[in-house]
């Protein structure tokens, strides 16, 4: 029974990875079509390097899976590679929507924040009053993507495959909904 359960779990994890890969391929196809249609100049070398940076961990992870050497390492590598590739193609996808032609909803969001007792102007004023706070917030913002990558690696190496794959799916779907 335990072997069957492990087999079902493994198939689920592979299905999640395929799902993320399908999302990446769809984003890549949309990116390529829209970039071509709009005649947008792209740093091909930069994106090629980024693409290889994401592809290499996936290939290494598949190698470890094929050899049966270390499933935790394989899972961490594949998840990290998928995360990198998703980030690359989702960021291009996001940029393709600029400039935004719809009415911004900032006022509505600020009203909702106000109902919860949060004031953006007060936070901005506070950050401007204390330069160290602005620097700390900048640091937190700039380290967000590396922090997420560390989460993927830690979950992978600690054998938390279910949490890792849930993290991948919710992160990808959340980012797509935000875009």
């Amino acid at each position: 029974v335990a072997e069957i359960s492990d087999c079902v779990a493994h198939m689920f994890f592979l299905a999640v990875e395929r799902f993320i890969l399908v999302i990446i391929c769809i984003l890549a196809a949309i990116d390529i079509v829209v970039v071509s249609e709009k005649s947008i100049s792209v740093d091909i070398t930069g994106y090629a390097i980024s693409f290889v940076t994401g592809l290499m961990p996936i290939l290494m992870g598949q190698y470890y899976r094929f050899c049966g050497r270390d499933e935790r390492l394989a899972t961490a590598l594949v998840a990290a590679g998928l995360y990198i590739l998703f980030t690359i193609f989702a960021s291009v996808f996001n940029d393709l929507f600029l400039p935004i032609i719809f009415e911004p909803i900032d006022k509505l969001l600020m009203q909702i924040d106000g109902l919860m007792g949060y004031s953006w102007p007060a936070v901005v004023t506070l950050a401007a009053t204390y330069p160290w706070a602005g620097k700390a917030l900048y640091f937190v913002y700039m380290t967000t993507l590396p922090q997420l990558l560390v989460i993927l690696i830690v979950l992978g190496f600690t054998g938390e495959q279910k949490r890792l794959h849930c993290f991948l799916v919710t992160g990808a779907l959340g980012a797509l909904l935000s875009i």
Side-chain angles (χ1 to χ4, degrees):
V1 175
E3 287 181 24
I4 293 172
S5 176
D6 288 345
C7 182
V8 170
H10 185 70
M11 289 185 336
F12 171 76
F13 298 143
L14 293 178
V16 167
E17 290 173 4
R18 279 189 225 110
F19 175 69
I20 299 297
L21 188 58
V22 167
I23 290 173
I24 291 167
C25 290
I26 291 170
L27 286 173
I30 293 170
D31 290 351
I32 290 167
V33 168
V34 175
V35 164
S36 298
E37 288 293 317
K38 288 187 172 183
S39 299
I40 299 170
S41 66
V42 176
D43 176 14
I44 301 291
T45 304
Y47 279 106
I49 291 169
S50 298
F51 180 76
V52 169
T53 301
L55 188 60
M56 289 308 297
I58 293 173
L59 295 175
M60 290 172 18
Q62 294 305 324
Y63 171 77
Y64 275 97
R65 277 192 181 147
F66 181 75
C67 293
R69 290 181 58 187
D70 188 344
E71 183 58 31
R72 288 181 180 189
L73 177 59
T75 301
L77 287 167
V78 170
L82 289 171
Y83 173 76
I84 291 167
L85 291 180
F86 175 80
T87 302
I88 294 164
F89 291 110
S91 67
V92 173
F93 183 70
N94 186 47
D95 288 348
L96 293 176
F97 287 106
L98 299 175
I100 298 171
I101 57 173
F102 302 105
E103 182 70 28
I105 62 168
D106 295 2
K107 290 180 184 176
L108 172 65
L109 295 175
M110 288 178 71
Q111 288 173 343
I112 293 169
D113 289 344
L115 292 173
M116 294 185 291
Y118 186 83
S119 167
W120 276 105
V123 170
V124 170
T125 301
L126 181 67
T129 305
Y130 300 100
W132 61 267
K135 288 179 183 177
L137 291 173
Y138 175 80
F139 175 78
V140 169
Y141 178 77
M142 293 306 294
T143 61
T144 301
L145 291 177
Q147 287 177 46
L148 295 174
L149 189 57
V150 167
I151 290 170
L152 291 170
I153 292 168
V154 168
L155 290 174
F157 280 115
T158 58
E160 295 286 341
Q161 289 183 325
K162 184 177 180 181
R163 288 184 177 178
L164 172 63
H165 287 88
C166 286
F167 181 81
L168 279 174
V169 170
T170 56
L173 294 179
L176 291 174
L177 286 172
S178 295
I179 293 171

